[in-house]
Amino acid sequence: MASSIPISMGSLVLGVFIAFAMVGSVSSSRFDELFQPSWALDHFAYEGELMKMKLDNYSGAGFSSKSKYMFGKVSIKIKLVEGDSAGTVTAFYMSSEGPYHNEFDFEFLGNTTGEPYLVQTNVYVNGVGNREQRLNLWFDPTKDFHSYSLLWNRRQVVFLVDETPVRVHSNLEHKGIPYPKDQSMGVYSSIWNADDWATQGGRVKTDWSHAPFIASYTGFEIDACECPEVVAAVDNIKRCSAAGGEKGYWWDEPTMSELSLHQSHQLQWVRANHMVYDYCKDTSRFPVAPVECLHHHH
């Protein structure tokens, strides 16, 4: 019996270590550790690590992060509404609060069966948006889970799809253009009926006979600087930026201040092959190009 004790102890320690290692690697993927439903709680369903949110003719639904953050990276894997999703919008975004809020949006605009989903991105700075870009994807986002990410540091905001950059909003403060860098942001997602504009400019309405419309989520990850509500904003700003003298964050590394050459090529490919609308080129809306468009070379 005595000889078996070290073995059982060893396996116990190993088991604890493996369990701990697993917790460390998957803890961020659980919905309830990072997020909470914010409305229509009865429109949520949980299946293991999957969370499903539905839209029907009674209500949409939405969730929000439990904390707010300043700089870092947030990612969610989403499988979008299958079949005829015309009129529906599924959104994944970061936003601060108040009339002069900052916001980074992914909005997935539903389609009639067989038509491609459109992805609309937008950037709000100090309460001002109107920076829409639209693209179609190089895959069917309703057939499987794909990763959608927002990387945010003091130099750039990068929108990524399966780690491929699809949009960059650079810090051009040296050109007198405001940049979002001093408001903490929550992470949000919602599904709602937007058939007044979402599909073909509102011409195609939601067909409620196909309801409920279900978006599925997994792989919730937030690797960012958390901003406790009890801490003064100015102290959060100091702590979350390298100026605070804290240990450096990976997103502040010099290599993260702009896209790599490979990423730049990826973005060029996306823009050339998948972009269907760019506010910078919409002369009917903007007879004079918005000032940041003159400097964003991507």
Side-chain angles (χ1 to χ4, degrees), residues 69-295:
Y69 304 90
M70 197 179 305
F71 308 128
K73 184 178 182 184
V74 301
S75 299
I76 293 184
K77 292 189 170 87
I78 309 173
K79 184 162 73 169
L80 293 167
V81 177
E82 290 190 61
D84 180 359
S85 56
T88 71
V89 172
T90 306
F92 165 50
Y93 60 103
M94 294 183 73
S95 183
S96 58
E97 294 175 0
Y100 301 105
H101 75 293
N102 301 325
E103 188 174 327
F104 316 136
D105 293 336
F106 275 107
E107 291 180 308
F108 304 96
L109 313 184
N111 62 355
T112 49
T113 306
E115 293 290 313
Y117 246 89
L118 280 182
V119 182
Q120 176 168 291
T121 61
N122 204 352
V123 175
Y124 286 74
V125 185
N126 298 337
V128 179
N130 297 324
R131 297 183 178 90
E132 296 89 352
Q133 292 181 353
R134 288 186 179 187
L135 52 120
N136 53 43
L137 294 165
W138 49 96
F139 53 82
D140 182 343
T142 72
K143 293 291 183 246
D144 209 344
F145 287 93
H146 291 270
S147 173
Y148 303 94
S149 307
L150 292 161
L151 168 68
W152 173 35
N153 60 31
R154 289 172 299 149
R155 300 295 299 278
Q156 60 178 356
V157 181
V158 185
F159 294 71
L160 302 126
V161 176
D162 290 337
E163 294 302 312
T164 295
V166 298
R167 179 173 188 164
V168 174
H169 185 83
S170 303
N171 185 335
L172 299 169
E173 287 181 305
H174 61 288
K175 303 283 189 185
I177 298 166
Y179 181 79
K181 71 175 197 314
D182 54 8
Q183 297 180 37
S184 61
M185 302 173 90
V187 187
Y188 304 89
S189 183
S190 54
I191 182 169
W192 79 95
N193 177 39
D195 68 4
D196 55 332
W197 65 272
T199 307
Q200 295 180 29
R203 286 191 294 276
V204 182
K205 301 301 182 184
T206 305
D207 182 346
W208 293 109
S209 71
H210 294 152
F213 302 100
I214 296 172
S216 304
Y217 296 78
T218 190
F220 304 88
E221 292 183 24
I222 298 178
D223 186 354
C225 182
E226 191 171 344
C227 294
E229 305 254 353
V230 295
V231 176
V234 65
D235 294 325
N236 276 325
I237 292 168
K238 192 180 288 186
R239 198 174 47 81
C240 290
S241 56
E246 297 284 321
K247 76 170 181 51
Y249 295 107
W250 64 265
W251 54 83
D252 283 328
E253 295 291 322
T255 53
M256 303 305 293
S257 65
E258 58 184 9
L259 297 185
S260 68
L261 187 60
H262 175 61
Q263 288 177 316
S264 293
H265 289 158
Q266 288 180 310
L267 180 60
Q268 288 168 4
W269 174 81
V270 169
R271 290 183 63 90
N273 295 285
H274 293 280
M275 184 169 285
V276 297
Y277 176 83
D278 182 1
Y279 77 106
C280 283
K281 296 190 166 72
D282 189 340
T283 53
S284 60
R285 276 178 75 195
F286 303 104
V288 178
V291 65
E292 71 264 19
C293 296
L294 307 175
H295 303 290

Side-chain angles (χ1 to χ4, degrees), residues 10-25:
S11 60
L12 176 67
V13 169
L14 182 64
V16 168
F17 175 76
I18 290 170
F20 180 76
M22 284 178 65
V23 166
S25 63

